Amino acid sequence: MSRLKLGVVGAGAWGRNHVRTVATLPDAELTAVCDRDPKVRERVARQYPVTHVTGELVDLLARVDAVIVAAPATTHAQLALQCIAAGKPCLVEKPFALSVRDAEAVARSSAERKVPVAAGHLLVFHPAVERLRALVRQGELGKIFYLYGLRVNLGQVRADENALWSFGPHDVSMALYLLDDQPIRVAAQGRSYLQPGVEDVVFLTMEFASGVLAHVQLSWLDPHKERKLTVVGAKKMVVFDDMEPREKLRIYDKGVDRPPEYGSYGESLAIREGDIFIPKIPNIEPLAAELGHFVRVARDGEAPRADVTDGVRVVRVLEAATRSLAAGGTPVSL
Ligand SMILES: NC(=O)c1ccc[n+]([C@@H]2O[C@H](COP(=O)([O-])OP(=O)(O)OC[C@H]3O[C@@H](n4cnc5c(N)ncnc54)[C@H](O)[C@@H]3O)[C@@H](O)[C@H]2O)c1
C-alpha cells in the first residue's frame, strides 16, 4: 500500500512534534508543512529538505492526502473547514474549536462531505489511560465514585488561551473517555493573576448523571509539575501519574467495605488496606500512537477514536465552564 502523504499546518512549539513524529511513521510521509512564520518555514526546510514547505494552505492541500492542524486554537475550526472542503481528512489539535457553534460547524461539514475528522485528544492514546479504561469497563474498580486530576506547572503562559482551554481539553477528554459519559453540570472558578482576563489557574468540577464527580485543577502558575489522575471506585482506587518515568499506574486494592453482619454501628464500615499493584504499561509514545491511528483513519477508513462528536462534547464542557467562570463559579447545566 502506498504511504499516506501527510501535511502539518502550524509547526510551532507543539506542531514541531507532529512534524518530527510524522517523519518517523512507517506508513506515511511528511509531504508538506505550512506555517505563517518565515522563520519557522526556514527551520523546517533546513531539517526536512525533501518536504515541501509553504506559507499557503491551498498549496499544502493540493499536495497531501490528509492534514494535521497544529496552528493556534483560534484557527482550528476555519482550517478544519478548509481541509474538509478540499476533501482531506484532518486531525485537529486541542482545543477542537473555541465555541460549540464552531465545533458543530466542523462536525456538520465532516458528516455532509463524508470527510473524517479526528479530535486531537492525545491522552486517549496514552497506554496507561487505555489500561485504566479497561479496568473501569471490566468493573475491576467497582462502581466509580469520583475522580480528580492535577495538571499544573510553572510553564508557558499563553495570551490567547486561558489555563482552562489550554490544559482542560486533556483532562476533560480523558474523564469523558474513561467514564464513557458526559457531564450534566459543570462549575469552574479561576483567577487571572498575570494578565487581565486570562485565567492562570482554574478549578473545574463536572457532575455526571451516574453520580460521579470529577474535579480538575489546572494552572501554569504552580511550583510543581504534576500530571496526575486519581480514580476512586468502590472496590479499588487507581492513580495515573504521568510524571513517573515507568510506573505510571498504581492500582490500590483499598476501600471501605460494609460487612454483611456487624455488631455496632461503628463496625458497619470496615477499611480495607490491600496490596498495591503496578501493571506493566507498554512504553509507547502517545503522539506516535495518535498519528499511527490517524493514518489508518485517513487511509483505511478506520473510525477515529476521538471523533467530531468527542470534539464537540469537550468544547461543550469548556464553553459551559467558561460561563461558570464568568459567573464566579455558579454551576451551569448542559
Ligand atoms: N496535544 C498536546 O499535548 C498539545 C500540547 C501543546 C499545544 N497543543 C496545541 O497545539 C496548538 C499549537 O500550539 P503551539 O504551542 O505549537 O503554538 P505556537 O504558537 O508555538 O505555534 C503555532 C504555529 O502556527 C503558525 N500559524 C499561525 N496561524 C497559522 C495559519 N493560519 N496557518 C499556518 N500556520 C499558522 C505560527 O506561525 C506558529 O508557528 C494549540 O492549539 C495548542 O493548544 C497541544
Side-chain angles (χ1 to χ4, degrees), residues 9-10 12-15 34-37 40 70-73 75-76 93-95 122 158 161 170:
V9 180
W14 182 247
C34 168
D35 199 290
R36 281 248 170 107
D37 184 341
V40 172
T75 66
H76 289 180
E93 252 312 330
K94 61 85 191 161
L122 181 66
R158 293 184 183 264
E161 284 172 18
H170 289 304

Side-chain angles (χ1 to χ4, degrees), residues 3-11 15 18-19 22-23 25 28-35 44 51-54 56-57 59-71 83 88-92 291 294-295 298:
R3 296 169 89 205
L4 187 80
K5 292 182 182 150
L6 268 177
V8 177
V9 180
H18 279 288
V19 169
V22 169
L25 292 177
E29 60 183 45
L30 180 67
T31 303
V33 171
C34 168
D35 199 290
V44 175
T51 298
H52 182 76
V53 181
T54 177
E56 299 301 323
L57 181 68
D59 183 16
L60 174 135
L61 288 173
R63 294 165 188 269
V64 300
D65 302 319
V67 182
I68 293 158
V69 175
C83 293
K88 310 290 169 165
C90 56
L91 168 82
V92 183
L291 296 186
F294 178 58
V295 169

Side-chain angles (χ1 to χ4, degrees), residues 147-334:
L147 55 91
Y148 62 94
L150 208 51
R151 188 169 301 276
V152 300
N153 57 263
L154 191 62
Q156 189 181 3
V157 178
R158 293 184 183 264
D160 53 346
E161 284 172 18
N162 61 11
L164 174 69
W165 287 84
S166 181
F167 292 155
H170 289 304
D171 299 276
V172 173
S173 61
M174 188 162 51
L176 271 53
Y177 182 67
L178 287 175
L179 299 170
D180 207 0
D181 201 1
Q182 305 166 61
I184 51 166
R185 223 177 345 265
V186 304
Q189 278 191 298
R191 288 287 183 274
S192 319
Y193 296 108
L194 304 178
Q195 305 169 88
V198 183
E199 284 80 4
D200 313 290
V201 54
V202 173
F203 302 99
L204 164 70
T205 306
M206 299 177 272
E207 284 177 67
F208 294 80
S210 59
V212 173
L213 202 58
H215 180 79
V216 183
Q217 182 172 333
L218 310 162
S219 171
W220 54 53
L221 186 58
D222 193 287
H224 308 106
K225 179 158 183 173
E226 301 266 19
R227 298 283 182 269
K228 213 184 233 182
L229 176 75
T230 303
V231 183
V232 175
K235 283 203 253 170
K236 289 181 184 169
M237 308 175 181
V238 181
V239 176
F240 163 37
D241 187 348
D242 209 5
M243 295 309 293
E244 280 284 337
R246 257 190 293 274
E247 300 175 353
K248 290 188 182 279
L249 218 54
R250 277 167 194 258
I251 305 168
Y252 294 80
D253 186 7
K254 290 186 179 199
V256 180
D257 292 341
R258 215 176 275 273
E261 285 175 29
Y262 53 87
S264 68
Y265 185 75
E267 293 168 21
S268 70
L269 295 174
I271 306 283
R272 179 171 35 80
E273 293 259 21
D275 292 335
I276 301 169
F277 178 63
I278 302 172
K280 189 161 166 44
I281 303 291
N283 192 13
I284 298 168
E285 193 195 353
L287 187 60
E290 180 182 49
L291 296 186
H293 167 72
F294 178 58
V295 169
R296 296 193 297 278
V297 168
R299 197 188 55 179
D300 313 332
E302 196 171 307
R305 183 178 299 180
D307 64 8
V308 283
T309 308
D310 298 305
V312 172
R313 281 182 181 151
V314 171
V315 171
R316 186 167 288 131
V317 171
L318 298 175
E319 195 178 272
T322 301
R323 286 208 298 280
S324 176
L325 259 184
T330 309
V332 171
S333 294
L334 289 164

